[in-house]
Amino acid sequence: MATVIEPTEITYQKRGRWIDRWEPDNTEFWENGGKQTARKNLIFSVFAENLGFSVWVLWASVVTAMGSAGFAFLGKNNPDAVNNALLLTSTPTLVGAALRVPYTFAIPRFGGRAFTAFSAGMLLLPTLGLAYFINQPGTPMWVFMLLAAIAGVGGGNFSSSMANINFFFPEGKKGAALGINAAGGNLGVAQTQLFVPLIITLGTHIMAKDAAGYRFGITLAVLVWIPFILAAVFGALRYMDSIHGAKSDGKSYKLALKNRHTWIMAVLYIGTFGSFIGFSFAFPTLLKANFPSLAKIGWMSTLGNLAFLGALVGSFSRPFGGWIADKLTGARITVYVFGGMAVATALIMVSLSAKSFPLYLASFLLLFVLTGIGNGSTYRMIPSIFGAEARRYASEHGEDISDAMASAKRQAGAAIGVIGAVGASGGWILQQALRLSNVHYHTMAPAFWAYAAAFLAMAAVTWWFYLRSSFAIGRAPSLAHANV
């Protein structure tokens, strides 16, 4: 007797667009409306997250023009100008990293629709605040430090966006959806570093190439984001949904926090994503500080000091990192990435000694490409590690493998939130190391050589825990044979 399959239906509560029933792993449900709803939410989530990254990294481009806009603490005659610039650009990084943890928990509590609208609306505070105070030449640095800190809300958007999309897609499609979501956000860094300098230059052409002209240009470069932010808020409220059954799993978070692999991977993610976001923030300042004569050339200024190229290639190489990790295992790719990053860092120092801008730019672009690949390969390792641990534990204790794997998926999801927050804090650490090196040694060379050593140490950590042959016959043999 044939089984009659009733058509699926997505039902909503009357208030707040909360979906009562959501079963993405049910094929019939997915093909009859679930897929379209999930894709719709992904589109508006990517849009809002992209703007979050754009506002988060806004200061990286703005500080390079504030000296010309009449702010003495960033003026060319101020010996502390570079240090002050790095302090302003590192502050949003730290705040954004800290906000990633509460933003992850906000989705189950408030719903994806409401919190996406709220987090997008929060971007109005740092943009409107900067647009106002940039036109007050006597504004002290601490006010801009506060505005830079508020801009950190854009960095928190990543975690809430990823957590929200994670609930919408079935297990077999989460990787692609989360990859699109992450890459869409990361591209916000590149687009800001491309368009903001162009708009500032436009402002000086409209007005004059003086302090008032630069202030006008910065104002335009900040206000241009306001219509998009309002569109993101409207889009979230009008078209996005919240899932009633998307509840946080406190037990999985506790287990993930107790698992040493969460913290090992957090350290490795400091090296990959921390380097990506840290150098993205610092790159415009580094270009201007190390090659000031080129910053005055028309084409260099028009192209935003070429700083956008770093974030651009790093964003596009991230999906490739996940793809190649599927072929060759994440741990092996991560070891190669860290080795390559150490070489790229050494080449940066060689280029500075030779005063070669082409080599300097090429070395930095290589470093950015590698950070993107490393972001993809390390994220690929996380579910593999927790899955291998679960299989080993179930085998040793005679537990049901399906229950163990389900628990591993929940723990991996919790670990990703923690690892993402710690990794983002690496961007702050990197910029502070540059600043302190410049303060105490009057050169950033010690910081760069320390980075090279740290990358080699991270390669060794990856090999020690996830690749060495002795590990295959040690405490957790399944890890060595898994696609880690």
Side-chain angles (χ1 to χ4, degrees), residues 276-337:
F276 169 78
I277 199 65
F279 280 124
S280 291
F281 272 89
F283 199 27
T285 297
L286 293 176
L287 282 169
K288 185 176 180 180
N290 290 314
F291 296 92
S293 59
L294 287 178
K296 298 176 182 178
I297 298 176
W299 65 266
M300 187 75 166
S301 175
T302 302
L303 290 179
N305 293 340
L306 302 181
F308 79 96
L309 288 175
L312 184 68
V313 297
S315 299
F316 277 114
S317 64
R318 179 168 185 155
F320 175 73
W323 176 80
I324 196 172
D326 283 336
K327 307 294 182 182
L328 301 176
T329 77
R332 184 171 288 109
I333 295 303
T334 301
V335 169
Y336 295 155
V337 161

Side-chain angles (χ1 to χ4, degrees), residues 9 48 64 75 78 81 87 185 188 190 223 257 320 340 399 406-407 451 455 461 477:
E9 182 180 356
T64 62
N78 189 331
L87 195 59
L223 292 180
L257 290 172
F320 175 73
E399 293 187 357
S407 176
Y451 299 152
F455 295 148
V461 167

Side-chain angles (χ1 to χ4, degrees), residues 113-179:
R113 170 182 173 269
F115 196 77
T116 300
F118 167 79
S119 59
M122 284 291 290
L123 302 175
L124 293 171
L125 295 179
T127 47
L128 292 175
L130 178 55
Y132 174 78
F133 284 105
I134 202 70
N135 288 292
Q136 312 298 321
T139 302
M141 182 174 166
W142 70 265
V143 174
F144 290 111
M145 282 286 292
L146 180 60
L147 290 170
I150 298 173
V153 297
N157 284 12
F158 175 83
S159 287
S160 59
S161 183
M162 294 289 275
N164 185 41
I165 293 305
N166 183 62
F167 287 121
F168 273 97
F169 283 81
E171 289 299 327
K173 299 182 184 297
K174 285 184 189 291
L178 293 175

Side-chain angles (χ1 to χ4, degrees), residues 71-84:
F71 295 94
F73 54 85
L74 291 174
K76 61 181 180 180
N77 295 323
N78 189 331
D80 293 323
V82 173
N83 300 328
N84 291 337

Side-chain angles (χ1 to χ4, degrees), residues 96-455:
L99 286 177
R100 285 190 168 195
V101 175
Y103 269 48
T104 300
F105 287 99
I107 293 299
R109 177 67 179 84
F110 301 104
R113 170 182 173 269
F115 196 77
T116 300
F118 167 79
S119 59
M122 284 291 290
L123 302 175
L124 293 171
L125 295 179
T127 47
L128 292 175
L130 178 55
Y132 174 78
F133 284 105
I134 202 70
N135 288 292
Q136 312 298 321
T139 302
M141 182 174 166
W142 70 265
V143 174
F144 290 111
M145 282 286 292
L146 180 60
L147 290 170
I150 298 173
V153 297
N157 284 12
F158 175 83
S159 287
S160 59
S161 183
M162 294 289 275
N164 185 41
I165 293 305
N166 183 62
F167 287 121
F168 273 97
F169 283 81
E171 289 299 327
K173 299 182 184 297
K174 285 184 189 291
L178 293 175
I180 292 170
N181 203 51
N186 288 354
L187 281 172
V189 179
Q191 71 191 27
T192 295
Q193 293 185 340
L194 171 61
F195 291 116
V196 167
L198 287 172
I199 297 171
I200 293 174
T201 301
L202 173 64
T204 61
H205 285 305
I206 293 174
M207 296 287 288
K209 202 166 185 181
D210 57 12
Y214 274 99
R215 289 195 295 271
F216 178 73
I218 294 172
T219 303
L220 285 180
V222 173
L223 292 180
V224 73
W225 302 105
I226 302 301
F228 296 102
I229 294 171
L230 293 176
V233 174
F234 174 80
L237 291 174
R238 178 66 179 83
Y239 297 105
M240 290 188 71
D241 309 290
S242 299
I243 300 175
H244 186 67
K247 301 298 182 182
S248 57
D249 186 354
K251 180 181 178 181
S252 294
Y253 273 93
K254 290 178 182 178
L255 290 173
L257 290 172
K258 292 179 180 178
N259 193 312
R260 64 173 183 162
H261 294 293
T262 298
W263 302 105
I264 294 170
M265 292 307 301
V267 171
L268 299 183
Y269 203 54
I270 285 175
T272 56
F273 183 76
S275 296
F276 169 78
I277 199 65
F279 280 124
S280 291
F281 272 89
F283 199 27
T285 297
L286 293 176
L287 282 169
K288 185 176 180 180
N290 290 314
F291 296 92
S293 59
L294 287 178
K296 298 176 182 178
I297 298 176
W299 65 266
M300 187 75 166
S301 175
T302 302
L303 290 179
N305 293 340
L306 302 181
F308 79 96
L309 288 175
L312 184 68
V313 297
S315 299
F316 277 114
S317 64
R318 179 168 185 155
F320 175 73
W323 176 80
I324 196 172
D326 283 336
K327 307 294 182 182
L328 301 176
T329 77
R332 184 171 288 109
I333 295 303
T334 301
V335 169
Y336 295 155
V337 161
F338 281 129
M341 289 172 67
V343 172
T345 305
L347 288 174
I348 290 170
M349 298 313 300
V350 170
S351 68
L352 288 174
S353 297
K355 297 182 180 180
S356 171
F357 176 74
L359 179 59
Y360 183 81
L361 181 62
S363 300
F364 250 116
L365 292 183
L366 173 61
L367 181 61
F368 273 109
V369 168
L370 291 170
T371 62
I373 295 174
N375 287 338
S377 64
T378 50
Y379 251 56
R380 175 65 183 86
M381 291 171 66
I382 297 168
S384 299
I385 290 169
F386 279 87
E389 284 268 283
R391 285 190 293 270
R392 176 186 62 81
Y393 186 87
S395 176
E396 292 178 354
H397 295 81
E399 293 187 357
D400 183 80
I401 186 66
S402 60
D403 291 341
M405 292 303 295
S407 176
K409 289 178 182 178
R410 292 192 296 270
Q411 289 183 54
I416 284 173
V418 175
I419 292 166
V422 175
S425 71
W428 179 81
I429 295 171
L430 183 147
Q431 292 177 81
Q432 289 304 303
L434 287 172
R435 187 180 67 85
L436 292 173
S437 176
N438 197 51
V439 168
H440 295 291
Y441 301 103
H442 306 292
T443 174
M444 298 181 191
F448 276 101
W449 287 120
Y451 299 152
F455 295 148

